[in-house]
Amino acid sequence: MAISEDIEQVINELGPLVVVYDHNTQTSNEEHIDYNRDVRATTPFDSSFFIECDLPYSSTAKPGDKITFQATNENYLLATLDTEIFEASVVVKEGVLYKCNTTIEVQEKSGERNSDYVMETVWNPVFSGEHALFTGTLSEQNINDERYARIYSKTRSLFASIDLPIEQEHRCLVNGEAYRVDLVEPDRLPGLKICSLSLDNRE
């Protein structure tokens, strides 16, 4: 038996069952995963929201997919995924998971005339009910940690799947609050869009 198959067998026997959801195809499949929570992380935020994981070489998961742990119903986003190669073959896939702490609704602005032919602002839904990580203000100090791409400290930040159509100037509803999407960075992590948010006072 090849090393990759040995590792896959161990992960399938010992690792928890997860559901991998592809936002593009809207399909799900079950896999097993091995993970490591870093309790020695320098901040509680790190240890609570970032998890390193291993997936079998045959895993169909890709960056941006949602990973739901069946036992706890916790939702994560697969932020990165790299392959470990031995003797020219992939033996295991190594990734980083971001824990979701909210669901979001995203809207876009348009103008429509009412019965009196007066232009009114209308907020049309783009999507809703998708899981994401909303960080708020992390600390009073600047944070520029490239390990997890935690780059905002004094602004509200949203980490969402790269597959979701979030754009600058969209309105994002989080926990009953309306936020304006000021900036979208799709290139810092392969699986995530990192969005800078501010309170949205637009009508």
Side-chain angles (χ1 to χ4, degrees):
M1 183 179 293
I3 294 177
S4 58
E5 295 174 344
D6 288 338
I7 296 175
E8 181 179 46
Q9 182 175 338
V10 171
I11 292 177
N12 288 342
E13 290 178 354
L14 302 179
L17 183 67
V18 298
V19 174
V20 179
Y21 176 74
D22 186 326
H23 296 87
N24 281 330
T25 63
Q26 299 183 351
T27 57
S28 303
N29 65 282
E30 293 184 346
E31 296 186 15
H32 288 267
I33 192 172
D34 185 29
Y35 68 94
N36 177 41
R37 192 183 300 274
D38 188 2
V39 296
R40 299 170 299 172
T42 55
T43 69
F45 184 82
D46 285 355
S47 61
S48 298
F49 287 95
F50 301 129
I51 296 178
E52 296 178 354
C53 67
D54 290 329
L55 292 162
Y57 78 102
S58 61
S59 172
T60 60
K62 61 178 178 58
D65 287 351
K66 182 177 71 174
I67 308 293
T68 303
F69 283 75
Q70 287 287 70
T72 62
N73 203 34
E74 292 179 317
N75 294 286
Y76 291 79
L77 293 174
L78 184 56
T80 65
L81 191 64
D82 296 313
T83 55
E84 182 176 333
I85 298 176
F86 179 75
E87 293 184 350
S89 297
V90 175
V91 294
V92 69
K93 296 180 179 180
E94 300 174 337
V96 175
L97 300 175
Y98 278 40
K99 185 176 182 179
C100 300
N101 60 0
T102 189
T103 56
I104 60 173
E105 178 180 345
V106 170
Q107 302 172 341
E108 61 183 355
K109 184 178 180 180
S110 67
E112 297 181 6
R113 295 190 183 277
N114 60 21
S115 58
D116 297 323
Y117 296 97
V118 176
M119 186 67 72
E120 294 183 338
T121 298
V122 176
W123 289 98
N124 299 308
V126 178
F127 65 83
S128 64
E130 297 290 353
H131 290 83
L133 169 58
F134 179 68
T135 63
T137 302
L138 298 181
S139 75
E140 293 301 319
Q141 300 178 350
N142 291 328
I143 295 177
N144 187 19
D145 184 354
E146 291 296 332
R147 180 184 180 192
Y148 295 124
R150 285 194 295 110
I151 57 176
Y152 306 111
S153 60
K154 295 185 178 180
T155 186
R156 297 169 179 87
S157 302
L158 184 78
F159 299 81
S161 171
I162 193 74
D163 298 323
L164 297 179
I166 304 176
E167 299 179 3
Q168 192 171 342
E169 299 300 323
H170 275 170
R171 170 174 283 177
C172 185
L173 303 181
V174 184
N175 301 327
E177 293 278 358
Y179 294 94
R180 180 176 185 158
V181 180
D182 296 321
L183 178 69
V184 178
E185 294 194 72
D187 303 319
R188 190 170 285 270
L189 287 172
L192 300 180
K193 287 181 178 176
I194 304 174
C195 307
S196 177
L197 307 181
S198 62
L199 286 174
D200 193 349
N201 296 317
R202 295 173 292 179
E203 294 183 355

